[in-house]
Amino acid sequence: MVRDTTPRQAVDLRVHRWLMIVGALLTAAALLLLSLLPGPPAEAVAMTAWVEHGRSLLLWSNELLFFAVICWGAGARGLFSAGLAGPSARIDVGGTALTVALVALVVVLLAVGRLVYPVFEIDLSTEVVALVVSSTFGALHLAFLGFAVAAVTLSWSTRAGLIGRAVGIVAAAAFVVGSFPWLTPNWWNSLVPVLVAAWGVSLASVTRTENSGDATERTSTTD
């Protein structure tokens, strides 16, 4: 038996879209703050001074990432789980890639948090600080690669058609290049977070749900 979506379910879909949009915007803001940091020094002995110099940027980026991961994860899970009546390899791959990206951002969250917040007043040696900083950028690399895979696969499941797929491919290429922030100029590192926001908002806005062509966003379930 097929039944229409209840008003409560329609509201839930809109809430999940907005959660995903807010998550993408918060993620972009956090990554933009990180991009404003000067390049880390190559010498481990200078790393502590680099952290102190960028403490405010690291701190605010850390706070934003916490809420970003929660919002984006909750929004994507609700939106994509409501989007299909059956299994989809593209959704599975894209959802897994997005999950990998968000988990990598959690690693960034933990690493940056350890740099800016004291834990039992334990001082970190310069070598440990250098390791944590390099791990932060390694996790960022993984996050952008996850976003790249998600951009390609999830864009195939939107209402935007060929335009959406083209946008997904372009976004994926930008994310792959942006996954090497130690090789790219500062202006590019600041541009990539803006692209993350644009892609995330676009994806949340045009992701297909069952019978998404219906203005009332009806879905159907089979008993």
Side-chain angles (χ1 to χ4, degrees):
M1 182 176 67
V2 176
R3 64 175 179 268
D4 293 337
T5 298
T6 65
R8 173 64 179 275
Q9 290 171 322
V11 170
D12 284 344
L13 281 175
R14 287 194 292 271
V15 169
H16 282 110
R17 288 192 193 278
W18 277 106
L19 280 172
M20 195 167 171
I21 289 172
V22 171
L25 293 175
L26 290 177
T27 299
L31 296 177
L32 181 61
L33 290 177
L34 290 178
S35 74
L36 298 178
L37 291 166
E43 301 80 11
V45 293
M47 199 67 73
T48 301
W50 178 84
V51 171
E52 288 299 324
H53 180 266
R55 178 173 294 274
S56 60
L57 292 174
L58 290 168
L59 189 150
W60 281 107
S61 176
N62 186 259
E63 297 296 330
L64 291 175
L65 273 180
F66 174 77
F67 296 102
V69 171
I70 292 176
C71 290
W72 203 335
R77 183 180 183 278
L79 198 56
F80 293 125
S81 64
L84 294 172
S88 167
R90 289 193 298 267
I91 293 294
D92 290 343
V93 172
T96 301
L98 184 58
T99 300
V100 168
L102 295 179
V103 170
L105 291 181
V106 171
V107 175
V108 174
L109 174 66
L110 292 172
V112 172
R114 185 60 189 92
L115 290 174
V116 297
Y117 294 113
V119 177
F120 295 112
E121 303 300 329
I122 299 174
D123 293 328
L124 300 180
S125 66
T126 55
E127 290 77 11
V128 172
V129 171
L131 176 62
V132 174
V133 170
S134 59
S135 297
T136 299
F137 284 95
L140 280 176
H141 173 75
L142 178 60
F144 279 120
L145 292 182
F147 283 140
V149 175
V152 173
T153 53
L154 295 180
S155 296
W156 253 253
S157 301
T158 68
R159 301 191 301 266
L162 291 176
I163 295 178
R165 297 177 184 182
V167 169
I169 292 173
V170 171
F175 297 158
V176 170
V177 176
S179 69
F180 299 92
W182 54 90
L183 298 178
T184 50
N186 288 338
W187 67 266
W188 176 260
N189 294 336
S190 297
L191 175 62
V192 172
V194 177
L195 298 178
V196 170
W199 169 71
V201 171
S202 173
L203 182 65
S205 301
V206 300
T207 292
R208 181 186 299 121
T209 56
E210 292 183 54
N211 296 332
S212 59
D214 193 334
T216 60
E217 284 197 282
R218 295 181 174 182
T219 62
S220 61
T221 58
T222 302
D223 290 341

